[in-house]
Amino acid sequence: RRSPKVIPNIEMYDEVKTYNISRFNYRIVKQGQVLNECYMSLLKVCMPRLRQLRYKAQTQYRVKEQWVVEKSLFSDYIPDSASLIDRMFESDWSMIQKPKLSEEDLAKVKAELKKIYWTIRDAFKYYSSISSST
């Protein structure tokens, strides 16, 4: 039985301790071979890392300002209004292939679609913003 090895200054959870460790996991490898065929490390001895000194930069605290739209990235954003939605609907309506219906039935379809256009637009915004892999 070997005597425990003393490992000083191990940092764990903002606490620095010294540990007495009686065993280490290790693996003997051929001289010069460091990685296996799966690029996994084949180091001879695996030990916990000793505490490394870290440079702590001086932080300058600034007063946090209240967030306002005018100073943000969204300052040029134009929120959707009823007139803008109407123009969007008319633009979309002019670009679709309309079914072969009478003018009367086509006007009814247009009126029904216009009623639910907000929902259609919101669904489009949602599905166009999520990843295509999901």
Side-chain angles (χ1 to χ4, degrees), residues 62-96:
R62 60 184 174 98
V63 177
K64 205 166 195 173
E65 297 177 22
Q66 181 74 23
W67 186 84
V68 289
V69 175
E70 291 77 22
K71 291 183 180 179
S72 74
L73 177 68
F74 302 103
S75 61
D76 297 333
Y77 178 74
I78 301 170
D80 297 339
S81 63
S83 63
L84 179 63
I85 296 296
D86 286 341
R87 287 196 334 250
M88 289 167 54
F89 175 76
E90 292 301 330
S91 174
D92 288 344
W93 181 257
S94 68
M95 289 188 240
I96 64 170

Side-chain angles (χ1 to χ4, degrees), residues 5 19-20 23 26 28 41 52 62 69 72 75 79 83-84 86-87 89 97-98 100 105-106 111 119 122 124 133:
K5 181 168 174 77
Y19 290 94
N20 293 323
R23 287 187 176 184
Y26 68 94
I28 298 173
S41 176
Q52 296 176 353
R62 60 184 174 98
V69 175
S72 74
S75 61
S83 63
L84 179 63
D86 286 341
R87 287 196 334 250
F89 175 76
Q97 287 185 340
K98 296 164 189 76
K100 294 182 180 179
D105 290 339
L106 206 55
T119 307
D122 288 341
F124 173 79
S133 63

Side-chain angles (χ1 to χ4, degrees), residues 29-74:
V29 296
K30 294 182 217 171
Q31 187 66 28
Q33 183 181 1
V34 179
L35 301 175
N36 66 7
E37 62 276 354
C38 297
Y39 299 103
M40 301 297 290
S41 176
L42 297 176
L43 298 176
K44 287 186 180 181
V45 178
C46 298
M47 293 178 41
R49 292 183 182 171
L50 299 177
R51 182 174 186 221
Q52 296 176 353
L53 297 176
R54 296 181 187 159
Y55 174 73
K56 289 190 176 183
Q58 290 182 341
T59 54
Q60 294 179 346
Y61 297 101
R62 60 184 174 98
V63 177
K64 205 166 195 173
E65 297 177 22
Q66 181 74 23
W67 186 84
V68 289
V69 175
E70 291 77 22
K71 291 183 180 179
S72 74
L73 177 68
F74 302 103

Side-chain angles (χ1 to χ4, degrees), residues 7 12 16 23 25 32 38 45 53-54 102-103 107 111 123 132:
I7 309 239
M12 292 181 75
V16 178
R23 287 187 176 184
N25 292 332
C38 297
V45 178
L53 297 176
R54 296 181 187 159
S102 66
E103 290 295 323
S132 61

